[in-house]
Amino acid sequence: MILTATQLKALRQRNDEELRRGDYVKLGYPADTIQDLLHTIEAIKSEKKKWKKVAQERGEMLGRISETIDKYNANRVKND
């Protein structure tokens, strides 16, 4: 199941309320477990952003390398 940003925000607020209540236990997952999952989601988001940036930089570098190789090959053909 994929949650939207609004659903995550609502889940976080509801979970924070349960954590403030203390030891009162409801049926379902413990609030601490949900809090850990929410932290995991945030960590994954930041990792995704980091790897997206790395991929963009890699693509730019591969483009530069390709241009350099093309220029080298063009000069080589001229000189031969």
Side-chain angles (χ1 to χ4, degrees), residues 21-65:
R21 287 186 196 148
D23 293 333
Y24 178 70
V25 178
K26 284 185 165 185
L27 297 176
Y29 289 104
D32 292 333
T33 302
I34 294 173
Q35 186 178 34
D36 290 344
L37 291 171
L38 290 170
H39 288 305
T40 302
I41 289 169
E42 292 302 319
I44 289 171
K45 283 182 182 179
S46 66
E47 283 293 309
K48 181 181 175 185
K49 288 179 185 176
K50 179 181 87 175
W51 285 108
K52 183 177 179 181
K53 182 179 177 185
V54 168
Q56 288 173 340
E57 290 172 355
R58 179 179 177 263
E60 291 171 4
M61 188 58 64
L62 288 173
R64 289 181 194 157
I65 290 170

Side-chain angles (χ1 to χ4, degrees), residues 3-13 45:
L3 300 174
T4 65
T6 305
Q7 290 170 321
L8 283 172
K9 184 177 178 182
L11 180 61
R12 188 176 293 111
Q13 288 174 346
K45 283 182 182 179

